[in-house]
Amino acid sequence: MSPITGILLKIASVFLMTAMSALVKYASDTVPPGEAVFFRSLFAFPPLLIWLAMRRELAVGLKTERPVGHLWRGLVGGTAMGLMFLGLSFLPLPEVTAIFYATPIFVTIFAAMFLGEPVRVFRVITVLTGLAGVLVVMQPRLTALNGGGDLGMAFGALAVFTATVFAALAQITVRHLTKTEHIAAIVFYFTATTTALSLLTLPFGWVMPEGPVLWALIGAGLLGGAGQILLTASYRHADAAVIASFEFISIVLAIIVGYVAFSDIPTTQMIIGAVLVVISGLALAWREHRLKIAQAKVKLVR
């Protein structure tokens, strides 16, 4: 393992994913979220298939023992993607990125609920800190529910927050799938499932994208697929906790891209909330790393 290689791959994936989100936001005024999910998934196939072919894992990528598990992962993961894209049509890119940081918090909660992982004081504190940060970010938007703001932005904030719940469920499902399934199969069937399921949104007003919007959607798919590959590859070279600690770069990039591309200026309250959520996520990643080290030592003693 080469930690430096893993870190560089992670940073590259963050750049690509942020660019993907910016392209989806650009197209969101023209196409509905379900259609954006379709393009994001369909055009992720070329880089994915090239990657599998280069690794000689095409056969492995098509082999599965748990098709229902892949279907469930695609359903919850695709729903998360669609809700996030919906949020991008209402909210500035930095806010969507900050709220989506709540995903690791819900992963921790669901791991305790469904996987029986212990809930200690440290985890409780970090989860509460993260949730407080998310509320700080969302609070100005949620005032619309009391007649004090833009209802569209309140709806967008709630959509992204709900997306974090579904994204966490998807990650918990992946933990189960990795016990029997190859990572290539998990990535392949997720892409295939979300492409197929997104077609169910056809009755909800799909449009024929043209010109820059069409290229933006195609670019989002290619960048999203390549970003997913780089992220997957990064975990082959460095510990998950090390990789996760560089996720904060996405909020910095989102602020820069949001300002340059969409003239979005982050508020002080949003930045404070984002910092709380990032700190919570980093603390959870660090704690997970320490627990794995402790477990490994116990196994060695035995």
Side-chain angles (χ1 to χ4, degrees):
M1 292 174 58
S2 173
I4 298 299
T5 300
I7 290 168
L8 291 175
L9 288 170
K10 168 65 176 180
I11 292 173
S13 75
V14 169
F15 270 85
L16 295 184
M17 290 298 194
T18 303
M20 178 208 74
S21 297
L23 290 174
V24 170
K25 181 169 178 59
Y26 170 76
S28 64
D29 290 336
T30 305
V31 299
E35 186 175 355
V37 171
F38 173 78
F39 276 91
R40 158 65 179 85
S41 301
L42 179 65
F43 285 95
F45 268 115
L48 172 60
L49 293 176
I50 291 171
W51 176 62
L52 292 178
M54 290 175 61
R55 295 186 57 83
R56 298 180 180 179
E57 292 180 345
L58 274 174
V60 177
L62 296 174
K63 182 181 178 181
T64 177
E65 298 177 7
R66 301 174 63 185
V68 175
H70 289 291
L71 178 62
W72 171 250
R73 193 264 169 133
L75 179 62
V76 292
T79 301
M81 191 188 302
L83 288 170
M84 181 181 176
F85 289 175
L86 177 62
L88 283 169
S89 66
F90 290 101
L91 295 176
L93 178 60
E95 285 191 37
V96 173
T97 304
I99 296 172
F100 206 71
Y101 264 111
T103 300
I105 297 168
F106 284 107
V107 170
T108 301
I109 294 173
F110 292 150
M113 292 172 60
F114 304 131
L115 303 181
E117 293 188 5
V119 180
R120 297 182 175 88
V121 175
F122 182 87
R123 284 188 173 182
V124 172
I125 293 174
T126 51
V127 165
L128 292 177
T129 300
L131 289 175
V134 173
L135 289 176
V136 170
V137 174
M138 294 177 62
Q139 186 273 330
R141 307 305 183 191
L142 297 183
T143 55
L145 300 178
N146 296 321
D150 188 316
L151 278 174
M153 287 192 168
F155 178 67
L158 291 173
V160 178
F161 184 75
T162 306
T164 66
V165 177
F166 281 95
L169 286 172
Q171 289 191 28
I172 292 295
T173 304
V174 169
R175 287 192 185 186
H176 280 291
L177 289 173
T178 52
K179 294 177 181 178
T180 58
E181 305 289 283
H182 194 281
I183 189 67
I186 294 173
V187 175
F188 176 84
Y189 281 105
F190 172 71
T191 305
T193 305
T194 51
T195 301
L197 291 176
S198 63
L199 292 173
L200 297 177
T201 66
L202 265 169
F204 299 97
W206 278 36
V207 299
M208 181 60 69
E210 297 178 351
V213 173
L214 175 60
W215 287 111
L217 290 170
I218 293 174
L222 294 172
L223 291 174
Q228 184 64 47
I229 290 168
L230 292 177
L231 178 61
T232 301
S234 71
Y235 286 101
R236 297 177 184 271
H237 295 278
D239 186 84
V242 175
I243 297 300
S245 65
F246 284 84
E247 183 65 32
F248 75 91
I249 296 173
S250 63
I251 191 66
V252 177
L253 286 175
I255 290 173
I256 294 172
V257 173
Y259 177 76
V260 173
F262 306 105
S263 300
D264 294 330
I265 301 175
T267 64
T268 301
Q269 183 168 340
M270 193 226 82
I271 292 175
I272 292 173
V275 168
L276 287 174
V277 180
V278 170
I279 289 174
S280 173
L282 292 177
L284 287 171
W286 175 82
R287 182 61 175 172
E288 192 75 17
H289 176 61
R290 300 302 302 173
L291 287 174
K292 285 183 179 180
I293 292 176
Q295 291 170 359
K297 288 182 178 178
V298 170
K299 288 181 180 180
L300 286 174
V301 171
R302 291 178 179 175

